[in-house]
Amino acid sequence: MFNWINLNLSGEWSLLKRTGNINSDNIPDRQVNSTANTGFVRLGYNLNLKNGKVLEHVLMLAQFNGVTESEKQADASSINAFAGKDQSIEASLNYYFSPDLKLTLSYTFRDGDLGASEPGAGFNNYYFQSGVGSIQRGDWLGVGVVAVF
């Protein structure tokens, strides 16, 4: 996290790796590895208003990058690892009445790529939801109030 005057920058990136053994009929155990990376970067700017309130403009990018090749996706799925790709870009306005109360308005653009897999594959949260099954998420419009008590 980096804050300088009215500029706010935060983010993190994680490298993911999962290893496991799988076996099939008449084939000895085989060790598989699945790797991916995920993270976000968030840039905000606080505009101090004449009425003493603060309007924060925020832009955030979040991304997941997993394997997209058919065999590697099957391996990832067999050891309960995520695969495919998805990303979102969110633009927000936060109006701070006080440090403990804000009104927020945001729009999130979302996109995903299953790679070689079919819709409904359970290893990518952009195309699958537990208890529902195959979906394709869309963009989001959000309005909220955040209060700290």
Side-chain angles (χ1 to χ4, degrees), residues 27-44:
I27 299 175
D29 282 357
R30 177 172 66 97
Q31 185 177 48
V32 296
N33 297 307
S34 182
T35 59
N37 64 78
T38 186
F40 78 95
V41 63
R42 180 183 183 271
L43 177 65

Side-chain angles (χ1 to χ4, degrees), residues 4-55:
W4 184 63
I5 307 174
N6 292 354
L7 184 68
N8 304 301
L9 177 64
S10 63
E12 68 178 60
W13 212 262
S14 299
L15 304 176
L16 311 173
K17 180 178 180 181
R18 181 170 284 181
T19 301
N21 292 319
I22 61 172
N23 60 9
S24 338
D25 296 335
N26 302 320
I27 299 175
D29 282 357
R30 177 172 66 97
Q31 185 177 48
V32 296
N33 297 307
S34 182
T35 59
N37 64 78
T38 186
F40 78 95
V41 63
R42 180 183 183 271
L43 177 65
Y45 185 81
N46 294 338
L47 181 62
N48 296 316
L49 304 176
K50 291 181 182 179
N51 63 1
K53 311 296 186 217
V54 175
L55 182 63

Side-chain angles (χ1 to χ4, degrees), residues 19-96:
T19 301
N21 292 319
I22 61 172
N23 60 9
S24 338
D25 296 335
N26 302 320
I27 299 175
D29 282 357
R30 177 172 66 97
Q31 185 177 48
V32 296
N33 297 307
S34 182
T35 59
N37 64 78
T38 186
F40 78 95
V41 63
R42 180 183 183 271
L43 177 65
Y45 185 81
N46 294 338
L47 181 62
N48 296 316
L49 304 176
K50 291 181 182 179
N51 63 1
K53 311 296 186 217
V54 175
L55 182 63
E56 180 187 30
H57 303 77
V58 180
L59 188 60
M60 182 181 75
L61 168 68
Q63 194 161 0
F64 172 81
N65 301 300
V67 294
T68 56
E69 301 85 4
S70 181
E71 184 178 327
K72 289 182 180 181
Q73 287 182 326
D75 287 348
S77 183
S78 71
I79 56 174
N80 295 318
F82 288 106
K85 297 182 180 215
D86 60 83
Q87 59 274 335
S88 61
I89 299 171
E90 180 176 319
S92 301
L93 287 175
N94 299 315
Y95 184 80
Y96 288 86

Side-chain angles (χ1 to χ4, degrees), residues 93-108:
L93 287 175
N94 299 315
Y95 184 80
Y96 288 86
F97 294 95
S98 73
D100 295 331
L101 181 63
K102 76 175 175 178
L103 178 65
T104 182
L105 173 66
S106 65
Y107 192 82
T108 304

